[in-house]
Amino acid sequence: MSNTFATRLKQLRISVDESQINFAEMLEIPVPSYRKYEKGEREPTLSVISKFFEHPKTKVFAQWLITGENHPNATTNTPIGDNSYTPVLSEEEFEKQFVSKAKETLMFLCHLGWFKSTKTANFETSGKLLLRDLKPMLIGSFKKAKSA
């Protein structure tokens, strides 16, 4: 998927669960202008970009929106790669949270239109399959982190 400003803008709007109209109104941007920004037909001015840095719902995402670097985690609003907080979870709790996050991510990908139909999708089972396949890699990563 493209990593353009327009693409990131759409991802941001979807992640805060707003329609184009509500998102534009929330940021006090004219709706027709916002739609052109999201389609990539027009670049926002500095005054428009500053609105993302000022609004409480978008300010944590503003740097990522502009640069494409250090996308904040959707649940903690901390940039990915910020290792200032390392939770310690039991294996059971980790698996439960992993499946939950995998399910949320798959649903988000559906909202982006990456899948044709969500009617037959079982996101819970998909999350468990992802965990099964990724668990050996994750365990190896944890072992490396502990030894460092």
Side-chain angles (χ1 to χ4, degrees), residues 129-143:
L129 289 171
L130 282 169
L131 177 61
R132 182 201 68 195
D133 293 344
L134 295 174
K135 195 171 188 176
M137 181 189 69
L138 294 169
I139 289 171
S141 177
F142 290 139
K143 287 179 182 175

Side-chain angles (χ1 to χ4, degrees), residues 18-43:
E18 294 290 348
S19 67
Q20 283 185 334
I21 294 171
N22 289 346
F23 195 63
E25 289 174 352
M26 175 183 89
L27 292 167
E28 299 176 352
I29 299 171
V31 175
S33 296
Y34 176 81
R35 286 186 171 144
K36 288 179 183 174
Y37 303 144
E38 196 172 287
K39 286 181 182 178
E41 295 174 356
R42 187 171 162 194
E43 293 292 324

Side-chain angles (χ1 to χ4, degrees), residues 68-130:
E69 297 174 3
N70 292 328
H71 184 282
N73 180 312
T75 55
T76 64
N77 286 340
T78 57
I80 292 175
D82 179 359
N83 296 327
S84 59
Y85 174 69
T86 307
V88 178
L89 301 173
S90 68
E91 187 172 344
E92 183 180 317
E93 184 60 27
F94 171 79
E95 289 181 8
K96 181 179 172 187
Q97 287 187 20
F98 183 92
V99 170
S100 174
K101 293 301 169 198
K103 179 180 174 183
E104 287 176 23
T105 301
L106 290 167
M107 291 175 68
F108 177 70
L109 295 174
C110 286
H111 287 297
L112 291 176
W114 287 17
F115 299 106
K116 299 281 184 217
S117 172
T118 60
K119 293 178 182 168
T120 59
N122 184 328
F123 296 116
E124 189 77 22
T125 301
S126 298
K128 290 177 182 176
L129 289 171
L130 282 169

